């Protein structure tokens, strides 16, 4: 009983204004990052790019924005750096400026790298801010934080429709203003973050103990994390394939306009953002592993139907499938954090960063395959990816993860 009361004393209240601010900046950050796929049709036409070159632009933004996240997460786990947040947004602002005036394909890649670095800095440190502001409501806090990002991603088709089709590549200049507003908010968050670090008492470090049982548990945790990363990769590969190439499939297969094709992608991504928000409460009720399983296998039948359905039912499938597929978005992050408590930046970088970056590699492969085999066969192949959700049954149950967490905390 004394231990329990001591734990309750250490639980801090949920700081909602920080959570909503960091979610707003997440929306700004990911909407800016979504400018890159939104401008693909414009760049393909104006610079006469191949699908492979489009895939390399997608790879570049995801490699820098995603695969570098675990690196920044590992560094900031050891040395939290509040003012990296506004510095990262400054890099994003510069990237948008370069993209607006990019005269060539290589210059576009340089601009994309700057945007990607800013995003790679943002995500691990912002996940830490969300964790620190969560108090006892970590699932809710993660949902609030992540829904901002997914809402920002869903704006890509609207940006194509309202900004890049009428204004062309130069439309990217407007997002320097968005980055400037985000930078100002980041300065406020960074001050709160720094004050929280100064007032937070540091726990005494215990000596690590090594035993055969502890080593076996550690190995099991790494296997579970590897499997989770692979599942997120499969989900992201499908997500990237739909958000990047399905618009071209619609225009080729059904002869619809670029403007009309954006509505399908918008519905898919918007419903995904809604699914992200509701995924946390659903996981609280039905379990994290169950929601991860449902998000993959529940979307599989609809994914298999999508390449063969008519334009009307494609609207319905995009709307429903986006919700189902991304209902596990925030859940996978919380699940990973429970596997490795105390490594918030690294874990967030691995799940939101590395696994998404691996999805970007898949986008390059899809682009190359489309150039070689054509759009239809590749979209039909893409539809089978959610079936990899069968591997979810090999993830440890929620109860087992809690037991492991308690064991690792006792032996750490």
């Amino acid at each position: 009983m004394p231990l329990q009361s001591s734990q309750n004393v250490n639980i801090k209240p949920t700081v909602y204004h920080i959570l909503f601010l960091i979610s707003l900046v997440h929306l700004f950050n990911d909407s800016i990052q979504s400018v890159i796929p939104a401008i693909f049709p414009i760049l393909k036409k104006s610079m006469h790019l191949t699908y492979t070159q489009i895939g390399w632009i997608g790879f570049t933004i995801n490699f820098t924005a995603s695969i570098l996240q675990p690196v920044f997460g590992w560094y900031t786990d050891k040395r939290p750096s509040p003012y990296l947040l506004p510095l990262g947004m400054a890099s994003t602002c510069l990237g948008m400026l370069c993209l607006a005036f990019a005269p060539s394909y290589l210059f576009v890649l340089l601009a994309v790298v700057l945007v990607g670095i800013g995003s790679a800095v943002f995500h691990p440190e912002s996940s830490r801010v969300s964790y620190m502001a969560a108090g006892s409501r970590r699932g809710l806090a993660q949902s609030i934080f992540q829904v901002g990002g997914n809402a920002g991603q869903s704006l890509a088709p609207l940006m194509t429709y309202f900004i890049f089709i009428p204004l062309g590549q130069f439309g990217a200049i407007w997002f320097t203003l968005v980055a400037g507003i985000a930078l100002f908010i980041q300065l406020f968050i960074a001050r709160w973050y720094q004050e929280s670090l100064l007032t937070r008492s540091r726990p005494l470090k215990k000596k690590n103990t090594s035993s055969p049982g502890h080593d076996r548990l550690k190995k099991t945790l790494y296997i579970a994390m590897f499997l989770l990363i692979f599942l997120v990769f499969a989900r992201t590969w499908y997500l990237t394939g739909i958000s990047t190439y399905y618009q071209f499939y619609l225009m080729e297969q059904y002869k619809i306009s670029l403007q009309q094709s954006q509505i399908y992608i918008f519905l898919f991504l918007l419903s995904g953002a809604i699914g992200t928000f509701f995924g946390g409460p659903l996981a609280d009720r039905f379990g994290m592993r169950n929601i991860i399983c449902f998000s993959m296998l529940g979307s599989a039948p609809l994914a298999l139907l999508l390449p063969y359905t008519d334009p009307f039912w494609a609207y319905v499938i995009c709307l429903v499938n986006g919700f189902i597929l991304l209902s596990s978005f925030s859940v996978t992050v919380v699940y990973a954090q429970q596997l490795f408590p105390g490594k918030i930046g690294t874990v967030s970088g691995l799940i939101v960063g590395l696994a998404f970056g691996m999805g970007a590699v898949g986008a390059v492969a899809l682009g190359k395959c489309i150039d070689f085999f054509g759009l239809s066969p590749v979209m039909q192949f893409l539809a089978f990816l959610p079936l990899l959700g069968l591997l979810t049954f090999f993830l440890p149950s929620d109860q087992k993860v809690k037991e492991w967490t308690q064991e690792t905390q006792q032996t750490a």
Side-chain angles (χ1 to χ4, degrees), residues 221-233 388 390-396:
L221 290 171
Y222 281 128
I223 292 173
M225 177 63 79
F226 175 81
L227 179 56
L228 185 66
I229 290 173
F230 180 78
L231 287 167
V232 175
F233 158 64
L388 292 172
L390 289 167
L391 295 173
T392 309
F393 293 108
F394 293 100
L395 285 174

Side-chain angles (χ1 to χ4, degrees), residues 205-209 411-412:
K205 290 185 178 180
K206 299 178 181 179
K207 292 183 179 180
N208 291 328
T209 58
T411 59

Side-chain angles (χ1 to χ4, degrees), residues 17 44 84 131 141 183 203 231 237 252 328 368 402:
H17 74 280
K44 187 178 187 300
L84 270 180
Y131 186 88
L183 195 156
L231 287 167
W237 194 5
E252 179 182 288
S328 65
K368 189 70 175 177
K402 289 179 182 178

Side-chain angles (χ1 to χ4, degrees), residues 11 14 20 28 34 49 53 82 90 93 104 118 120 151 165 201 217 235 249 275 301 320 391 401 412:
I11 294 176
T14 305
F20 286 119
F28 288 159
S34 295
L49 304 181
Q53 288 175 309
C93 185
S104 66
I165 289 177
S201 59
L217 175 58
R235 183 187 68 193
Y249 178 80
V320 177
L391 295 173
V401 171

Side-chain angles (χ1 to χ4, degrees), residues 26-340:
H26 200 181
L27 186 151
F28 288 159
N29 180 86
D30 283 25
S31 65
I32 293 172
Q33 189 175 329
S34 295
V35 166
I36 310 305
I39 208 172
F40 281 168
I42 307 302
L43 294 176
K44 187 178 187 300
K45 183 177 180 180
S46 64
M47 295 186 177
H48 308 289
L49 304 181
T50 65
Y51 285 112
T52 302
Q53 288 175 309
I54 291 292
W56 275 112
I57 297 175
F59 171 80
T60 302
I61 183 63
N62 282 283
F63 181 88
T64 51
S66 302
I67 294 181
L68 288 180
Q69 280 189 41
V71 178
F72 286 109
W74 173 82
Y75 172 79
T76 54
D77 275 339
K78 295 179 177 296
R79 188 175 298 177
S81 307
Y83 285 94
L84 270 180
L85 290 170
L87 284 175
M89 193 55 66
S91 175
T92 297
C93 185
L94 180 60
M96 281 292 99
L97 186 64
C98 292
L99 182 62
F101 294 98
S104 66
Y105 176 65
L106 289 178
F107 210 86
V108 168
L109 292 177
L110 173 63
V112 165
V113 167
L114 290 171
V115 174
I117 290 174
S119 188
V121 170
F122 168 80
H123 283 95
E125 279 296 77
S126 295
S127 291
R128 193 186 316 280
V129 168
S130 174
Y131 186 88
M132 292 170 65
S136 61
R137 311 195 69 178
R138 290 175 182 169
L140 174 64
Q142 192 61 227
S143 289
I144 292 173
F145 171 62
Q146 295 294 352
V147 76
N150 282 13
Q153 292 172 14
S154 72
L155 296 177
L158 295 184
M159 290 187 285
T160 302
Y161 192 100
F162 290 108
I163 297 176
F164 296 117
I165 289 177
L167 299 179
Q169 180 182 335
F170 184 72
I173 196 71
W174 287 101
F175 293 91
T176 59
L177 177 61
V178 176
I181 296 171
L183 195 156
F184 176 79
I185 298 174
Q186 290 284 54
L187 286 171
F188 175 81
I189 294 172
R191 283 196 292 271
W192 176 87
Y193 181 4
Q194 188 173 50
E195 290 171 2
S196 297
L197 290 175
L198 293 174
T199 56
R200 189 178 60 176
S201 59
R202 288 180 173 269
L204 293 174
K205 290 185 178 180
K206 299 178 181 179
K207 292 183 179 180
N208 291 328
T209 58
S210 181
S211 65
H214 179 66
D215 291 340
R216 283 195 299 271
L217 175 58
K218 195 172 182 180
K219 181 179 179 181
T220 304
L221 290 171
Y222 281 128
I223 292 173
M225 177 63 79
F226 175 81
L227 179 56
L228 185 66
I229 290 173
F230 180 78
L231 287 167
V232 175
F233 158 64
R235 183 187 68 193
T236 307
W237 194 5
Y238 180 78
L239 174 66
T240 304
I242 294 297
S243 59
T244 303
Y245 298 113
Y246 188 58
Q247 57 189 321
F248 297 110
Y249 178 80
L250 288 166
M251 289 187 287
E252 179 182 288
Q253 191 76 9
Y254 303 119
K255 309 303 178 185
I256 66 176
S257 67
L258 174 59
Q259 291 93 328
Q260 289 175 307
S261 71
Q262 300 309 302
I263 300 174
Y264 293 87
I265 309 302
F266 172 69
L267 290 175
F268 179 76
L269 296 176
L270 178 64
S271 63
I274 297 171
T276 296
F277 181 77
F278 284 100
L282 288 172
D284 289 338
R285 181 175 177 84
F286 300 106
M288 291 184 292
R289 188 181 71 168
N290 291 337
I291 294 301
I292 296 171
C293 179
F294 168 72
S295 74
M296 296 287 288
L297 294 182
S299 67
L302 296 174
L304 290 169
L305 283 173
L306 187 60
Y308 306 100
T309 191
D310 60 43
F312 171 78
W313 285 107
Y315 280 122
V316 179
I317 290 176
C318 286
L319 188 63
V320 177
N321 215 22
F323 181 94
I324 296 174
L325 187 71
L326 287 180
S327 61
S328 65
F329 192 97
S330 62
V331 178
T332 50
V333 177
V334 176
Y335 186 93
Q337 288 175 349
Q338 289 198 11
L339 285 174
F340 291 93

